[in-house]
Structure formats: structure tokens, C-alpha cells
Amino acid sequence: MKLLVKNGWLVDPGSNRCGRFDLVIEDGQVKQVIPVHADGIPEEAEGAAAGDVEIVDAAGKYILPGLIDLHVHFRDPGLTYKETIATGSRAAAHGGYTTVCTMPNTKPVMDSKETIEQQLAIIEKDAVIHVLPIGAVTKGQMGEELADIRGMKEAGACALSEDGKSVMNAALLAAALPIAKEVGLPFFDHCEDMNLVRGGVLHAGKKAEELGMKGITNSVEDVIATRDIILAKEAGAKLHLCHCSTADSVTYVRLAKEAGLQVSAEVCPHHFALCDEDIPGDDANYKMNPPLRSREDMMALREGIRDGIMEVISTDHAPHSAEEKAKSIKDAPFGIVGSETAFAIAYTTLVEGGYLDLPGLVKCMSLNPAKVLGIPKGTLQEGYAADFTIVDTNESYRIDPDTFFSKGKNTPFAGKEVRGKICSTYVDGNCAYREDM
Ligand code: DOR
Ligand code: ZN
Ligand code: ZN
């Protein structure tokens, strides 16, 4: 099956191509990238017109390498009333994603060769995009005994993470990191010092005080982020800091990079688009971990992204049921959905806000995540998988959770006017989402 993606504007920072190009897709791969001149006639349509070709018309739209999300929670197996691999992967395709990494805090926890194999069997059966499992650092995420890191790597895990928690025992993490390095898995770090949380539910600031809620200080994150930079340095392991929310995390990541350490960092759209001042009241759609921080933190994150210090934008897509999120902020679980809003929120906040150009955003949402994983994706060069996304930035629209494919509707962005609509998503040359589907 051949595909000809015509009339679009390619944005592919991985090949330094940005402009009018047609793509010829064959056997799931990019076969040809054909420059189109101002008169609209491709340089060499040779081969592209021959045979049985399906045309994808991208006129007036951008063609991007498929987005890659290093951080989602699909709750499958075990918590499938919140999300499944089937619904989560469809939601991700709807959001322009062609590859996502699933966090291991499922039931059971992904902590062994067998559990990863079981999850991969569900993925094989149900996923409409590439879904790569992440394995836990400790058995059952209990923080007591190391999980079978080698076995999980063998089964196909793409990274290690204790997400949802930190590995509070530094000695245990110090034992895990050399194994991670040996087998070539990066460590995705949820930074939260449990002993400093002290029952906090919102950022420790005026808003939490106003609402009479306990605060989560920046030190809750910063203490573990710095600790783990030190431990990763000692082990020579690859460290990726998840959902950075504080201004100081940007400083520490910059220093670590200047010191030549293998450290990367992600920021989630909610942390750079919102701050605690935006919390309208006791609404658990504004509750996530780490929390929405101060305006100064939010601005420092934007600047960190602008400067290339924070090189990945991921979602921390964390679906919960309507009943769970209808509770007070005090009692509801932490987490919001993100797969279906991330591109538009990032485009509207960062590109329209003047922090990044579109190629810069594509780096953060596709090319750089691929680099963190060390996989040959995130670019549409000849020979690469035909994972791509077509987006329309011309018209603005309002975010409507009723249109989500995710089971989770828990978003603080409902009703927000944005630009950056996903028109279609292709995985290995096959359509995983199309507007008129
Ligand atoms: O907000 C969050 N939700 N943060 C986490 O670390 C875990 C996640 C979840 O699993 O719901
Ligand atoms: Zn986390
Ligand atoms: Zn998470």
C-alpha cells in the first residue's frame, strides 16, 4: 500500500526540512520526501504517481513527525474503569501521538518480565499506536526490594520509573541505577520526598491558604531532583526528570547539563500553561502531582523550555473517574488527562506566546523524546517509520471533554480557546485517527 501525502507544509527539525514537501509512504516507511516549488509542481513525482496510491491531502496544514509522549497512565491491567490501552491509545492518536510510554503503576504493578509480557499482549491486541511499557524500580512499587530490571528489559520495557512515588530509599536507587545503565534503560524520575509532603494537596502558597488546604512546598520536588542528579552522576546512568514544576528544577537541570551529565527533563502543559492563581476554587480538575505552582515557577518553566534546558514536553495523562474527581480537592486523587489537549495547549501557550517556533515545539514533543528513549523516531527522513500527524493551526476551537476518546474527562482546560487542531494521525503509514472518523 502506497500513500502520497500532498500539499502540506512539512516541519521536520530532525532533517532540517521545513517547507513544502510531499511524502511518499510505502510499506509503513517514508520512501521519498519530495520538495515542491512555489509553482506547486513537485521536483520529481517519479514513482509517486504510479500504481495504487492513496492520497492524503494536507493543503493548508502542517505535517509533523508523530508526537511522542514519555509519560502516560493507561491503567491497564487492573484499573480499567479509569482507562484502558484501547481507550488511552485512541485518545493519544486523537492528540497526535504515535508513540507513548506507559507508567508502571497499574494493578498489578509492572515489576517483572511476566507482568511486562502480559501488558505487551494487551498492547498487541488493543493499541492503535505504539505503546511502550515502563517498568517499576521496586517490587510492587513498595520501595523495599528491587524489581527484576534485567527481566523487564528482556521483555521489552523502554525505561524504569517508580512514577506515582519516588524511591525514597536512596541506597535502593543507588543499587538500581548501575543495573539500568548496564541494560541501557533510562530512569524516569518522579521527584517527591514523601517525608516533606505533610498532607499537602495544592502548591504551598496563597491559594492553598485561601482554600484552607495544606500546601506542597517546592522542596518536596527539589530535594529528590538534586539527590537523584547526584546518584545518577555517580552511577553514570541516564536520568530523565518527570513533570518538573519548580523554578529551581530548571536551575539544577541546567547545572547538570553544564557538568556534562546525562540528564534530561520534561515539563507538562498544565505546569507551563497554568499556575496556582488559576485554581477557581475547590475543583479537583486542578489537582495533580506535582501541583500547579506559583506564577514565577510557571514563567521559569517557559523560559527553561525556550532555552532548551527542559527539552521534552510530556503529558502525565492521568485519567480518573468522574466520581473520583467530583470529590473535594482534599479527597480526590491526583491527576488530570492530557493526551487530547497537549499539542493545542503547547502551541497556544508556547508558539503563539513567543517562546518557541513550531520546529522548536516539534523537537520538544517528538524528536527529543525519541532521543531520550534512543529510538529511531521523531523525524520523517527517508527510511524512517511513517509515523506522522497532520495539524491545522488556522482556526481556533474550544476544548470540550465530551469529544475526548479517553475515559477520563478530568481536565482544567475545558472551555479554553486554543489553536492547533489534530486533523489526522498515521502510525506506520496506517490511519490511527482522522477527524471524520
Ligand atoms: O497527578 C498524578 N497522577 N501524579 C502522579 O504522580 C501519579 C498520577 C496518577 O497515577 O494518577
Ligand atoms: Zn509522577
Ligand atoms: Zn505520572
Side-chain angles (χ1 to χ4, degrees), residues 210-426:
E210 201 183 293
L211 294 172
M213 301 200 183
K214 288 188 182 152
I216 301 172
T217 57
N218 286 27
S219 61
V220 168
E221 175 169 333
D222 296 338
V223 163
I224 298 293
T226 44
R227 182 199 76 174
D228 292 353
I229 289 171
I230 293 165
L231 293 178
K233 175 184 174 183
E234 198 166 77
K238 264 196 186 174
L239 173 68
H240 176 73
L241 296 179
C242 293
H243 45 47
C244 294
S245 73
T246 69
D248 282 344
S249 71
V250 182
T251 305
Y252 305 136
V253 172
R254 180 167 49 72
L255 290 173
K257 287 185 168 173
E258 282 169 8
L261 307 183
Q262 301 183 77
V263 172
S264 56
E266 70 187 31
V267 184
C268 303
H270 46 275
H271 289 129
F272 64 68
L274 298 172
C275 64
D276 65 343
E277 295 166 26
D278 296 310
I279 301 170
D282 190 358
D283 179 349
N285 287 326
Y286 290 80
K287 179 180 183 182
M288 75 293 287
N289 192 11
L292 299 178
R293 296 287 185 187
S294 69
R295 180 169 297 277
E296 292 71 37
D297 289 309
M298 176 182 75
M299 296 312 284
L301 295 172
R302 290 185 192 180
E303 286 156 16
I305 294 168
R306 178 196 65 201
D307 298 343
I309 306 290
M310 317 305 272
E311 70 265 67
V312 171
I313 294 172
S314 68
T315 64
D316 198 3
H317 177 77
H320 294 291
S321 72
E323 298 71 47
E324 289 166 317
K325 288 303 249 185
K327 294 178 184 171
S328 159
I329 285 178
K330 284 185 182 133
D331 305 315
F334 288 96
I336 61 166
V337 290
S339 298
E340 290 162 277
T341 54
F343 183 78
I345 295 294
Y347 183 84
T348 305
T349 310
L350 300 177
V351 178
E352 297 207 313
Y355 294 90
L356 290 176
D357 54 14
L358 185 54
L361 183 61
V362 171
K363 279 187 192 168
C364 292
M365 298 188 79
S366 183
L367 185 63
N368 294 342
K371 283 185 183 162
V372 170
L373 292 170
I375 57 173
K377 289 189 179 292
T379 176
L380 290 168
Q381 294 167 60
E382 294 86 344
Y384 277 69
D387 289 358
F388 62 95
T389 297
I390 297 177
V391 306
D392 181 351
T393 60
N394 297 306
E395 41 169 318
S396 62
Y397 67 99
R398 276 186 200 282
I399 290 175
D400 176 4
D402 287 342
T403 65
F404 290 175
F405 292 4
S406 171
K407 287 192 184 185
K409 312 295 175 196
N410 45 311
T411 175
F413 294 118
K416 187 177 164 64
E417 192 166 333
V418 289
R419 238 181 255 269
K421 194 175 202 164
I422 308 298
C423 304
S424 55
T425 303
Y426 287 78

Side-chain angles (χ1 to χ4, degrees), residues 71 73 103 163 243 316:
H71 193 146
H73 297 268
M103 284 297 178
D163 191 57
H243 45 47
D316 198 3

Side-chain angles (χ1 to χ4, degrees), residues 63-83:
I63 307 164
L64 314 180
L67 307 182
I68 300 176
D69 193 346
L70 296 184
H71 193 146
V72 302
H73 297 268
F74 282 175
R75 318 295 192 196
D76 197 351
L79 297 160
T80 50
Y81 70 97
K82 294 178 195 258
E83 193 79 292

